[in-house]
Amino acid sequence: MSQSSEPIKEPEELRRSSKQQPETKQSDNAEPKPTTQESGQQQSQSSLQAEIERIGRIDPYIGLQRDTDLFTSLDKWRDLRICSRVTSVDRLGLSKALDYYTKQRIKRRGGLLQVPAPVVYIEVEQHCRPTDLFLLILSFLSNPLDFGPLRDLRSRTWGTFKAYGVKILIVNNAEWLSLAALNELVRIFEKTKISVILTGSLYLNDNFNPNSLKKKKYINIHNTFLKYYEFSLLSQPDTATVIQEWEISGLRWSKPLNLAMDTDIVKVLHDASQGQLRPLYENLREIAAWKLNNSRVQINPQNISKALGICSKPISKYTDI
């Protein structure tokens, strides 16, 4: 989302209504017109609602050391032609990092991918069969020939990989891949020597456990994706950095909340989000909206806790279940 650098009015300015002006006398038959005070109140409420909706859209990418560490590993696997799995409980943080990594390494012009395109990044949205997998890849590569039987889609995809100079294929939400789709990815690696990276939730690892008799058919897949990387959760200092950058690049109020300046507030927000980006962003949006409606209330840990209300903590590891 593109952001303007111009600061946004603080809550007091948004809530301020126009001063009441003398009413003009109307004829008995004329429809009563809203007074200046009523018009000002309506404009104030409209401005408040517009600001709340803008706050709801604040969703920036904020680079952290954990992202840099992931990018270093991805580059290494790409150059050495190694397959790997990347998992995280922080799904939003991982998705944003992968999207940023991809956009920094490819170029598009008018919606078309420019050659060379070393990175292909797709997100699986539902149970994914081989046909669905190849259609997602061809769509990312801007290949209009996304039709035909499976064998045509397969050969077209492999040929496009070669023509575009693809070196690494990243598949997010990989826990949705069917066994047949996973086997297609193994064949892509074996035939094209392109690194295939599967990313998703911790549940992804369960799909690769060949110890169960029912999972013996996964042995070849397990042996292909032996490398494993866990994308870390936000540390408390990371949380403070995200809060500060969220205010600067997203909220942009002329009188900032300065939440990151209070270590106790950072601790409250870190504890409430358990190191995950999505609940942290949700809490920050809720605090900003609460401040709009309580402009004179002091910002402190107690009031921040009240603003967040009663909610469950997100689960950050299997032992929490």
Side-chain angles (χ1 to χ4, degrees):
M1 182 178 70
S2 61
Q3 301 281 2
S4 168
S5 59
E6 184 179 346
I8 306 297
K9 291 181 179 179
E10 60 268 18
E12 289 84 353
E13 290 176 315
L14 286 168
R15 294 185 60 86
R16 188 178 298 144
S17 301
S18 301
K19 293 182 179 180
Q20 184 176 0
Q21 299 292 332
E23 298 181 20
T24 55
K25 189 175 181 180
Q26 299 177 347
S27 64
D28 294 338
N29 296 329
E31 261 187 40
K33 295 182 179 179
T35 64
T36 304
Q37 184 179 18
E38 290 172 341
S39 297
Q41 289 174 344
Q42 290 173 0
Q43 291 175 0
S44 177
Q45 289 300 318
S46 177
S47 297
L48 277 171
Q49 182 60 33
E51 178 63 2
I52 288 174
E53 291 178 3
R54 186 189 71 86
I55 290 170
R57 295 190 296 269
I58 300 176
D59 189 38
Y61 168 73
I62 298 171
L64 300 166
Q65 184 59 47
R66 65 173 185 169
D67 301 337
T68 302
D69 293 341
L70 173 62
F71 300 162
T72 300
S73 294
L74 290 171
D75 286 341
K76 178 183 69 175
W77 297 330
R78 176 201 64 202
D79 296 339
L80 298 179
R81 303 187 179 190
I82 294 174
C83 294
S84 181
R85 290 169 283 146
V86 179
T87 63
S88 181
V89 177
D90 187 5
R91 299 294 301 281
L92 180 62
L94 177 58
S95 294
K96 282 187 171 295
L98 294 172
D99 182 65
Y100 181 83
Y101 173 85
T102 303
K103 289 178 178 177
Q104 292 299 303
R105 286 157 177 79
I106 63 169
K107 294 181 180 179
R108 291 186 183 272
R109 178 176 294 177
L112 297 177
L113 201 59
Q114 292 185 275
V115 178
V119 181
V120 171
Y121 172 61
I122 61 172
E123 291 188 348
V124 178
E125 302 296 344
Q126 60 185 0
H127 181 70
C128 186
R129 302 166 299 173
T131 300
D132 303 317
L133 174 67
F134 288 123
L135 290 176
L136 285 171
I137 294 172
L138 290 171
S139 175
F140 179 91
L141 292 169
S142 306
N143 190 317
L145 302 177
D146 55 352
F147 56 85
L150 177 58
R151 63 181 179 182
D152 290 347
L153 293 173
R154 182 187 297 114
S155 62
R156 196 173 300 138
T157 300
W158 291 9
T160 309
F161 279 155
K162 184 176 181 180
Y164 279 67
V166 175
K167 295 182 178 180
I168 185 171
L169 168 62
I170 303 172
V171 183
N172 198 12
N173 302 330
E175 60 268 25
W176 287 97
L177 292 168
S178 67
L179 175 62
L182 286 167
N183 280 317
E184 291 287 353
L185 291 171
V186 171
R187 293 300 291 163
I188 285 175
F189 170 64
E190 292 174 343
K191 289 296 184 180
T192 67
K193 303 304 179 184
I194 291 173
S195 298
V196 179
I197 311 299
L198 303 180
T199 68
S201 68
L202 299 182
Y203 174 67
L204 175 63
N205 291 328
D206 295 341
N207 295 345
F208 288 81
N209 182 6
N211 295 328
S212 169
L213 288 175
K214 295 181 180 179
K215 293 293 183 72
K216 295 300 182 185
K217 54 192 174 182
Y218 281 85
I219 289 178
N220 190 38
I221 298 167
H222 170 83
N223 290 339
T224 302
F225 297 94
L226 295 174
K227 294 291 183 180
Y228 172 65
Y229 184 100
E230 186 168 351
F231 184 69
S232 64
L233 297 171
L234 297 170
S235 64
Q236 189 164 315
D238 287 339
T239 298
T241 299
V242 171
I243 293 170
Q244 183 177 18
E245 290 300 319
W246 186 89
E247 280 204 56
I248 293 172
S249 64
L251 195 58
R252 307 190 327 272
W253 281 352
S254 56
K255 292 184 179 179
L257 299 174
N258 290 325
L259 299 173
M261 302 296 290
D262 190 319
T263 54
D264 289 332
I265 290 178
V266 172
K267 186 176 180 180
V268 167
L269 288 170
H270 182 71
D271 185 60
S273 61
Q274 291 293 292
Q276 298 182 44
L277 190 62
R278 176 173 283 112
L280 177 58
Y281 275 2
E282 290 173 355
N283 290 338
L284 289 172
R285 291 195 290 265
E286 191 162 24
I287 289 169
W290 165 82
K291 182 60 176 175
L292 282 176
N293 292 304
N294 300 272
S295 58
R296 298 183 183 277
V297 177
Q298 185 180 2
I299 296 292
N300 57 42
Q302 294 74 26
N303 285 333
I304 291 300
S305 296
K306 289 180 182 178
L308 296 180
I310 300 174
C311 61
S312 299
K313 290 183 181 180
I315 294 171
S316 292
K317 48 189 175 182
Y318 279 166
T319 55
D320 293 339
I321 301 175

